[in-house]
């Protein structure tokens, strides 16, 4: 199975719109939404089927038993994350600040502190049975607000996806067939922990860039990250006609960095209309839909080759 | 007053709103907490920039003193230590700098040394101070850089008696939490689309949990998106400003142009926005 990850660096350039279009065009058997901070792919997905959810335990967090605590304050003085607060003479943990290092449990002279599991989000897995006895899998998750560990959750979302499709991978070795052997992964913005976690093990990065100075700066930081992680990347530009000048700049930059440029999507109001109806621009007649089809074909040929 | 500008979804216009607001106010401090992709400097073009490293503590082990008891390796909650050739070895990228290993070592074999994870840039755009946090590429967590940027910003805002405008990263996870924790007011920038509303609800949950005063700016409005209006009415969230979608604004932003400095009318709009958030300059 070929794994395609869609990233952008800058937020809001159109990752999810591109991912949703590719889902429609390919009938990919495996799809994951790894933007666990702002998961939107499910809003425009056409998956129907059995849905399973489970809690995601991000880390453990400290808990102070006030019946045992002697309020010596040693834990608070050693905590590097300012996660222990004194209120009305007793100490308690600020869950959102606690990183779960457990140093306080070692410091406490009366053993009043223990580590408890913290539910940091929810994972879901959808399995859609198909006529040919196969199935399509959608894996996603939502991080609880203010929680860290997004990298760990991204890894879980991916591993849940590939565990669910594992049976198919043992199928006979055959030619790459995008209607079956493609995994589409929608990533998160930025270049930090969730992005690094999402890149592991994928075959190709499709970067959706925006023709603005901000978009250009973010693209170059993301390409450098991809380079460090030794993963091949291709670039497309969304809303290219917002700035022809910056689009050209991105194209030139890609040529210089030897990163294949796979196409441009025009600004198109139909995209917003489609998103608000829970569909994709490739479902209706639109200039953006046409451009997305072209980019899709180009990306497939890169994946197959 | 400390105003955090946040959005949930990426690309809604946080940086557009926060840079223009800071520039309109003139006696203000702008801090860019989107340390993974810092873009405020593109618009504010700060001058006389001074750069400072941001460091984090990482343990080092003295193999002459280490008795190979493994206490540190067994205790580390982040699996940042492994035991190789009778000696602990640290994976710097996963270390959280909690200091547990140094605290636990019975021999005192652990010293903590500083390691660079990013930089902050301090400069000025006219009378506006502009502080940017930049995370080094390949680093997982921006939190230490965000903390430093906020610290510096607060110091400066206090000194000059102006507002602090905090440009937050997208999402609602730990880095956002960090940026919002001390804010007096949360200004949320929302795109009136199904995606925009979904992510706005997530970030609003965080703002509500922290009990912050808040209001929204609806940006890139092509037409009124009813589900968003309904949500705001139900939750009694004030809509402070509506900015219609315009290819002209998009084009200017793409070129890094600061709207308030192009057009006096726009400046007045941003000054009015600041009035609506209430509170005095600190």
């Amino acid at each position: 199975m070929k794994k395609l990850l869609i990233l952008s660096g800058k937020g809001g350039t159109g990752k999810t719109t591109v991912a949703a279009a590719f889902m429609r065009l390919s009938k990919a058997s495996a799809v994951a939404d790894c933007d666990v901070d702002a998961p939107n792919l499910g809003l425009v997905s056409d998956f129907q089927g059995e849905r399973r959810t489970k809690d995601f335990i991000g880390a453990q967090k400290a808990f102070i038993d006030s019946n045992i605590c002697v309020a010596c304050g040693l834990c608070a003085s050693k905590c590097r994350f300012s996660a222990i607060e004194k209120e009305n003479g007793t100490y308690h943990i600020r869950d959102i600040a606690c990183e779960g290092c457990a140093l306080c449990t070692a410091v406490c002279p009366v053993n009043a502190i223990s580590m408890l599991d913290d539910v940091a989000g929810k994972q879901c897995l959808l399995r859609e049975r198909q006529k040919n006895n196969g199935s399509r899998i959608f894996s996603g998750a939502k991080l609880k607000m203010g929680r860290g560990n997004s990298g760990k959750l991204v890894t879980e979302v991916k591993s849940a996806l590939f565990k669910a499709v594992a049976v198919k991978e043992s199928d006979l070795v055959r030619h790459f067939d995008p209607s079956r052997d493609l995994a589409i992964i929608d990533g998160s913005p930025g270049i930090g922990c969730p992005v690094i976690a999402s890149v592991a093990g994928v075959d190709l990065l499709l970067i959706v860039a925006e023709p603005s100075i901000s978009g250009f700066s973010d693209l170059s930081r993301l390409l450098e990250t991809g380079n460090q992680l030794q993963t091949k990347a291709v670039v497309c530009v969304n809303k290219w006609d917002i700035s022809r000048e910056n689009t050209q700049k991105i194209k030139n930059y890609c040529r210089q960095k030897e990163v294949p440029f796979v196409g441009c999507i025009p600004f198109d109001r139909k995209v917003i209309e489609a998103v608000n109806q829970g569909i994709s621009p490739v479902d209706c007649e639109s200039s953006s839909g046409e451009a997305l089809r072209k980019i899709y074909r180009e990306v497939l040929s890169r994946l197959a080759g | 007053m400390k105003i955090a500008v946040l959005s949930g979804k990426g690309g809604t216009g946080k940086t557009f709103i926060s840079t223009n607001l800071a520039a309109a106010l003139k006696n203000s401090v702008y801090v860019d907490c989107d340390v993974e992709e810092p873009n405020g400097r593109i618009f504010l073009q700060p001058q006389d920039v001074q750069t400072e490293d941001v460091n984090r503590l990482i343990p080092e082990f003295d193999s002459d003193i280490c008795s190979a008891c493994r206490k540190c390796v067994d205790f580390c909650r982040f699996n940042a230590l492994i035991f190789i050739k009778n000696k602990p070895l640290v994976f710097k990228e996963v270390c959280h700098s909690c200091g547990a290993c140094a605290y636990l070592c019975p021999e005192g074999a652990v010293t903590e040394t500083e390691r660079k994870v990013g930089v902050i840039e301090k400069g000025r755009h006219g009378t506006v101070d502009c502080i940017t946090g930049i995370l080094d590429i390949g680093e997982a967590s921006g939190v230490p850089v965000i903390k430093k940027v906020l610290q510096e910003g607060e110091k400066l805002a206090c000194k000059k008696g102006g507002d602090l405008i905090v440009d937050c990263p997208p999402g609602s996870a730990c880095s956002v939490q960090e940026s919002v924790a001390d804010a007096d007011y949360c200004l949320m920038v929302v795109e009136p689309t199904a995606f925009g509303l979904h992510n706005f609800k997530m970030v609003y949950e965080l703002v509500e949990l922290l009990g912050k005063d808040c209001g929204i700016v609806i940006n890139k409005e092509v037409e009124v998106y009813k589900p968003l209006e309904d949500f705001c009415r139900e939750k009694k969230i004030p809509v402070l400003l509506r900015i219609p979608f315009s290819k002209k604004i998009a084009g200017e932003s793409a070129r890094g142009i600061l709207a308030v400095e192009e057009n006096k009318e726009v400046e007045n709009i941003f000054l009015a926005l600041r009035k609506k958030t209430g509170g005095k300059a600190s």
Side-chain angles (χ1 to χ4, degrees):
Chain A
M1 173 169 280
K2 298 278 186 184
K3 296 161 194 167
L4 174 71
L5 170 64
I6 303 173
L7 291 176
S8 71
K10 186 172 181 320
T13 66
K15 278 182 300 299
T16 305
T17 302
V18 171
F22 278 31
M23 260 170 84
R24 298 290 209 285
L25 294 172
S26 69
K27 299 267 181 305
S29 56
V31 177
D33 188 353
C34 284
D35 190 358
V36 298
D37 229 337
N40 288 338
L41 189 55
L43 299 179
V44 286
S45 109
D46 57 352
F47 269 76
Q48 282 164 351
E50 172 202 348
R51 182 192 184 91
R52 259 185 275 161
T53 57
K54 69 170 187 185
D55 284 342
F56 165 66
I57 307 296
Q60 291 194 313
K61 290 192 187 284
F63 170 76
I64 303 177
D65 186 335
S66 56
N67 293 321
I68 308 174
C69 174
V70 291
C72 68
L74 203 57
C75 55
S77 74
K78 292 284 178 195
C79 177
R80 297 256 174 107
F81 309 106
S82 316
I84 306 177
E85 254 180 358
K86 193 178 184 178
E87 220 172 38
N88 305 326
T90 60
Y91 285 87
H92 69 103
I93 305 285
R94 289 169 55 222
D95 269 355
I96 32 187
C98 176
E99 295 206 10
C101 73
L103 175 61
C104 52
T105 63
V107 168
C108 181
V110 291
N111 284 327
I113 311 180
S114 46
M115 299 301 291
L116 302 177
D117 281 352
D118 175 61
V119 175
K122 232 183 185 59
Q123 263 181 272
C124 78
L125 196 72
L126 262 124
R127 186 184 289 271
E128 181 183 290
R129 302 264 170 223
Q130 296 197 291
K131 287 188 192 111
N132 59 4
N133 268 339
S135 56
R136 293 164 73 201
I137 312 287
F138 182 98
S139 176
K142 190 169 168 179
L143 197 66
K144 244 165 91 174
M145 74 268 157
R147 286 303 195 271
N149 294 105
S150 48
K152 189 174 168 194
L153 181 52
V154 164
T155 306
E156 297 273 324
V157 167
K158 276 168 58 187
S159 82
L161 177 72
F162 295 122
K163 220 190 276 169
V165 293
V167 193
K168 303 193 68 182
E169 276 223 275
S170 62
D171 279 3
L172 296 167
V173 180
R174 47 188 151 67
H175 285 297
F176 170 54
D177 170 4
S179 65
R180 315 176 53 167
D181 312 331
L182 180 65
I184 297 171
I185 306 165
D186 191 10
S188 42
I191 56 168
C193 139
V195 170
I196 294 171
S198 65
V199 171
V202 303
D203 296 291
L204 189 68
L205 306 180
L206 169 60
I207 302 178
V208 183
E210 189 187 87
S212 62
I213 306 186
S214 307
F216 182 77
S217 157
D218 298 348
L219 168 68
S220 60
R221 279 168 71 81
L222 180 59
L223 279 175
E224 222 176 299
T225 309
N227 218 0
Q228 254 185 28
L229 300 169
Q230 299 182 326
T231 309
K232 267 191 256 168
V234 298
V235 171
C236 69
V237 168
N238 191 16
K239 303 180 216 168
W240 73 273
D241 41 351
I242 293 284
S243 167
R244 283 155 205 266
E245 180 192 336
N246 286 326
T247 298
Q248 194 53 46
K249 205 170 139 194
I250 290 173
K251 279 186 182 171
N252 294 346
Y253 181 77
C254 288
R255 194 173 308 127
Q256 183 201 332
K257 294 279 171 188
E258 293 175 3
V259 176
F261 187 86
V262 293
C264 289
I265 307 159
F267 173 78
D268 181 0
R269 286 181 189 230
K270 286 217 172 119
V271 173
I272 301 172
E273 282 170 29
V275 163
N276 287 349
Q277 288 167 31
I279 59 171
S280 159
V282 295
D283 295 332
C284 53
E285 193 121 335
S286 61
S287 56
S288 53
E290 201 40 55
L292 282 160
R293 275 193 192 91
K294 252 192 210 158
I295 293 171
Y296 170 70
R297 285 193 295 270
E298 185 64 34
V299 168
L300 278 196
S301 72
R302 305 256 165 200
L303 269 171
Chain B
M1 179 146 122
K2 260 177 270 176
I3 301 175
V5 182
L6 63 166
S7 77
K9 186 174 178 309
T12 60
K14 281 179 301 301
T15 301
F16 174 75
I17 297 293
S18 39
T19 50
N20 278 294
L21 183 58
L25 290 170
K26 298 206 165 64
N27 183 37
S28 60
V29 179
Y30 166 87
V31 293
D32 199 342
C33 287
D34 190 359
V35 302
E36 290 180 38
E37 308 287 15
N39 291 328
R41 55 186 172 160
I42 291 170
F43 296 89
L44 289 172
Q45 301 272 343
Q47 306 294 309
D48 309 319
V49 174
Q50 289 174 332
T51 306
E52 231 177 273
D53 286 354
V54 179
N55 298 312
R56 220 149 59 76
L57 289 173
I58 296 290
E60 260 176 35
F61 302 89
D62 187 333
S63 51
D64 293 340
I65 309 174
C66 174
S67 63
C69 71
R70 296 188 54 126
K71 272 196 180 138
C72 56
V73 178
D74 295 339
F75 190 87
C76 179
R77 288 272 169 156
F78 308 108
N79 298 317
L81 301 177
I82 51 161
F83 209 65
I84 282 183
K85 290 183 185 158
N86 251 358
K87 192 191 155 193
L89 183 81
V90 62
F91 290 112
K92 298 185 179 89
E93 286 77 14
V94 262
C95 173
H96 279 52
S97 311
C98 71
C101 50
Y103 176 82
L104 287 167
C105 180
E107 317 295 339
V110 186
T111 44
E112 292 181 272
T113 54
E114 296 205 317
R115 167 169 180 271
K116 178 173 169 283
V117 290
V119 297
I120 65 165
E121 289 181 356
K122 284 195 273 187
R124 289 173 75 82
H125 172 91
T127 53
V128 178
D129 283 288
C130 174
I131 310 176
T132 309
I134 308 163
L135 182 69
D136 281 353
I137 286 166
E139 286 295 333
S141 170
V143 171
V145 183
I146 293 174
K147 279 188 176 163
K148 177 93 176 161
V149 171
L150 285 170
Q151 224 175 38
E152 294 290 325
E154 269 164 46
K155 247 194 275 172
L156 267 176
C158 222
K159 206 167 113 193
K160 73 196 281 191
D163 284 325
L164 179 68
I165 310 295
V166 182
D167 191 355
C168 299
S172 52
C174 53
S175 52
V176 178
Q177 148 84 35
E178 202 65 56
S179 319
V180 174
D182 287 329
D184 302 307
Y185 194 92
C186 289
L187 191 59
M188 295 172 281
V189 186
V190 188
E191 231 175 61
T193 64
F195 287 173
L197 175 60
H198 185 227
N199 301 153
F200 163 53
K201 282 180 177 168
M202 293 177 74
V203 84
Y204 177 69
E205 213 181 309
L206 175 69
V207 170
E208 205 181 21
L209 176 86
L210 296 170
K212 303 283 181 191
D213 264 355
C214 66
I216 70 168
V217 174
I218 298 179
N219 192 18
K220 304 191 222 175
E221 190 171 47
V222 174
E223 55 186 18
V224 170
Y225 183 56
K226 195 164 172 300
L228 172 62
E229 308 290 329
D230 292 345
F231 181 76
C232 290
R233 205 172 308 122
E234 184 203 326
K235 294 281 183 182
K236 299 197 172 62
I237 307 166
V239 179
L240 307 179
L241 178 64
R242 290 172 191 272
I243 303 173
F245 176 81
S246 113
K247 259 192 162 173
K248 183 168 172 281
I249 301 178
E252 282 176 359
S253 290
R255 294 202 301 279
I257 290 171
L258 213 47
V260 292
E261 288 174 2
E262 284 289 293
N263 187 330
K264 190 76 192 162
E265 220 174 295
V266 178
E267 186 184 305
N268 289 334
I269 290 172
F270 274 90
L271 288 173
L273 171 66
R274 171 63 186 87
K275 273 210 182 111
K276 287 187 186 162
T277 63
K280 281 183 220 139
S282 46

